[in-house]
Amino acid sequence: MSHESQDALLDQVQTLAPHSVADLLETKSPEEGAFVLESLNPMVAQQVLHEMQDEHRCRILAAAPIEKSRQWMHNRQYPEDSVGWLMEPPVAVFRPTMTVHDTIEALRKLTKRAFITYGYVTDEANKLLGVLVFRDLMLGKPGSLLSEVMYQNVFALAPDMALTDAMKSTVNRHIPVYPVCDAEGRLLGLVRGQNLFEARAIEISAQAGTMVGVEKEERLSTPILRSLRFRHPWLQINLLTCFVAAGVVGFFEQTLDRIVLLAAFLPVLAGQSGNTGCQALAVALRGMTMGDLEDGDERRLVLKEGVLGLLNGILVGVSAGLGMYVYATVQHNPEALTLAGVVWLSMVASCVTSGLCGALIPLVLRRLGADPATASSIFLTTATDVVSMGVFLSLASVLVK
């Protein structure tokens, strides 16, 4: 395979979703497939392997270098979206009794077949004892032992750690490569900081789509039928929730027939409460994604969004109530002031409910073990529409003659 063909193939797969890359590689030779997987972010490579047919996956693993094949198979035992999916095998591993001179000579050979950033010192049981920084090696005395020049205060990640937790732990460390160790401290692999944050960026970029039922793996290049299969079930659910909101409006049909101008303000209430809820939802999801929302912070988040909803509802309700008063006066409605009060109260109640729902819905989804971002906007829209329209029409039925 020529360099031009390799570059063209790499350019092609960079724009494709994992399932599309899997489909493409099944039309290529196993050697080409192995070459492409080695060039991808480790997490994306694992996703591509997961999408492949078993037979072709085995062929690619057989064609790949032994170390890479073992790495991919080993990483598949860990949960998706975990540090374990991103691990690379450690190469520059030494014993503490080696001298600086012998280590440098060994590194000269190792750097010809691998990109090495740090060296790692382990004991006979492969327990990580320290990290070797090249500067300390170059400046160390040739006869010094590695135990004398290694950096012993080692920070390591766990293989089953979620990417969100790993990102939170490493965001202020600015280390290019992190060792990955098990519970006993044995060195299992390495994770490059660039790969870690690239993988998390993929998840964050997909969050806006999952809020409305668009799957993370859908891209511009996804075939129409596959996109339809991803999206359509959520649209059916959304239609069902719309029927619920329509049922609320239908329940107050007599009120709308009696006071027709109420219909003009239903979209105003629904839109304003929906925006309030989306603001709270965005803050909640951002806190979960960035790791800011720790255990015990849920009550504070819900309380904050409820108070913000109350304050925003009071202020926006004044403007909306004034609009209703002007509109009702122009229509020569004798209950103009009462209708303005109804709009104000409804706006306050709607914004409070929207803020609470925007914070509670992702928390509940996470508690149930689901993705907090999955179609959360659909559930939020239903809650805000039902509450805003229900409160508005109920107050109008009771207070307006």
Side-chain angles (χ1 to χ4, degrees):
M1 188 176 181
S2 65
H3 289 294
E4 292 76 10
S5 300
Q6 290 178 347
D7 293 339
L9 183 57
L10 291 179
D11 290 340
Q12 186 176 2
V13 301
Q14 294 298 331
T15 62
L16 299 177
H19 70 87
S20 298
V21 177
D23 293 341
L24 174 64
L25 295 186
E26 289 181 357
T27 66
K28 305 292 183 180
S29 67
E31 291 75 16
E32 290 174 315
F35 167 75
V36 169
L37 290 179
E38 287 186 68
S39 68
L40 295 176
N41 181 287
M43 188 184 79
V44 178
Q46 290 288 358
Q47 292 172 336
V48 172
L49 286 170
H50 179 73
E51 293 285 346
M52 283 183 178
Q53 299 293 330
D54 292 340
E55 181 180 355
H56 200 77
R57 183 191 304 121
C58 291
R59 290 178 181 174
I60 288 182
L61 291 175
I66 295 178
E67 290 184 357
K68 272 293 181 183
S69 180
R70 288 177 177 173
Q71 170 200 337
W72 289 332
M73 292 302 296
H74 176 71
N75 292 5
R76 287 175 62 83
Q77 68 179 298
Y78 298 107
E80 185 176 355
D81 196 28
S82 70
V83 170
W85 268 50
L86 299 178
M87 281 197 307
E88 300 177 16
V91 178
V93 181
F94 308 99
R95 295 289 182 259
T97 54
M98 290 184 64
T99 65
V100 169
H101 175 268
D102 292 340
T103 303
I104 293 176
E105 291 303 314
L107 284 170
R108 293 183 193 278
K109 300 177 182 179
L110 290 174
T111 52
K112 295 179 181 179
R113 64 182 181 91
F115 178 67
I116 299 175
T117 305
Y118 298 115
Y120 297 92
V121 182
T122 62
D123 61 14
E124 289 74 12
N126 202 38
K127 184 176 180 180
L128 183 62
L129 302 178
V131 175
L132 296 174
V133 180
F134 285 174
R135 177 180 179 275
D136 295 338
L137 279 177
M138 296 299 105
L139 297 178
K141 296 179 179 180
S144 298
L145 301 179
L146 295 187
S147 58
E148 300 173 7
V149 298
M150 68 182 184
Y151 183 72
Q152 300 183 37
N153 186 19
V154 181
F155 170 80
L157 299 172
D160 56 352
M161 180 182 291
L163 291 182
T164 298
D165 297 333
M167 184 177 67
K168 181 181 177 182
S169 300
T170 60
V171 68
N172 292 321
R173 295 184 182 273
H174 307 293
I175 300 174
V177 182
Y178 299 93
V180 182
C181 299
D182 61 14
E184 286 73 35
R186 292 189 293 265
L187 181 63
L188 301 178
L190 310 174
V191 168
R192 299 191 178 278
Q194 178 182 353
N195 291 338
L196 175 65
F197 282 86
E198 279 181 357
R200 199 62 202 135
I202 294 171
E203 297 294 315
I204 294 173
S205 68
Q207 194 176 83
T210 57
M211 289 172 60
V212 291
V214 176
E215 294 291 333
K216 295 178 180 178
E217 62 184 81
E218 184 176 347
R219 305 279 289 273
L220 289 175
S221 58
T222 303
I224 291 177
L225 291 180
R226 191 178 182 95
S227 295
L228 179 66
R229 189 165 66 251
F230 284 151
R231 301 186 193 186
H232 187 72
W234 289 110
L235 292 179
Q236 291 286 5
I237 295 174
N238 185 61
L239 180 62
L240 178 63
T241 59
C242 289
F243 283 145
V244 175
V248 173
V249 176
F251 182 78
F252 294 97
E253 183 177 357
Q254 292 183 352
T255 302
L256 288 171
D257 290 339
R258 183 164 53 90
I259 315 172
V260 179
L261 58 83
L262 292 176
F265 272 74
L266 288 176
V268 176
L269 284 168
Q272 193 63 38
S273 59
N275 286 337
T276 302
C278 286
Q279 289 177 343
L281 179 63
V283 171
L285 290 176
R286 184 182 300 162
M288 293 179 181
T289 302
M290 301 302 296
D292 296 333
L293 188 63
E294 300 178 352
D295 292 338
D297 288 341
E298 293 86 352
R299 185 189 300 272
R300 183 164 60 90
L301 171 65
V302 174
L303 179 62
K304 174 186 175 182
E305 296 303 331
V307 172
L308 281 173
L310 174 64
L311 297 176
N312 284 322
I314 290 174
L315 297 174
V316 174
V318 172
S319 301
L322 181 60
M324 171 58 89
Y325 179 79
V326 172
Y327 182 58
T329 300
V330 172
Q331 296 292 324
H332 305 291
N333 190 303
E335 301 287 344
L337 187 59
T338 303
L339 287 170
V342 168
V343 169
W344 182 81
L345 288 173
S346 302
M347 189 66 77
V348 172
S350 299
C351 289
V352 170
T353 304
S354 299
L356 293 174
C357 289
L360 285 171
I361 287 175
L363 292 175
V364 171
L365 288 174
R366 185 173 71 170
R367 181 64 61 86
L368 295 176
D371 183 356
T374 301
S376 51
S377 180
I378 294 175
F379 299 122
L380 175 63
T381 300
T382 302
T384 55
D385 285 352
V386 169
V387 171
S388 61
M389 295 179 184
V391 171
F392 180 50
L393 294 176
S394 297
L395 289 174
S397 300
V398 172
L399 299 178
V400 181
K401 298 179 181 179

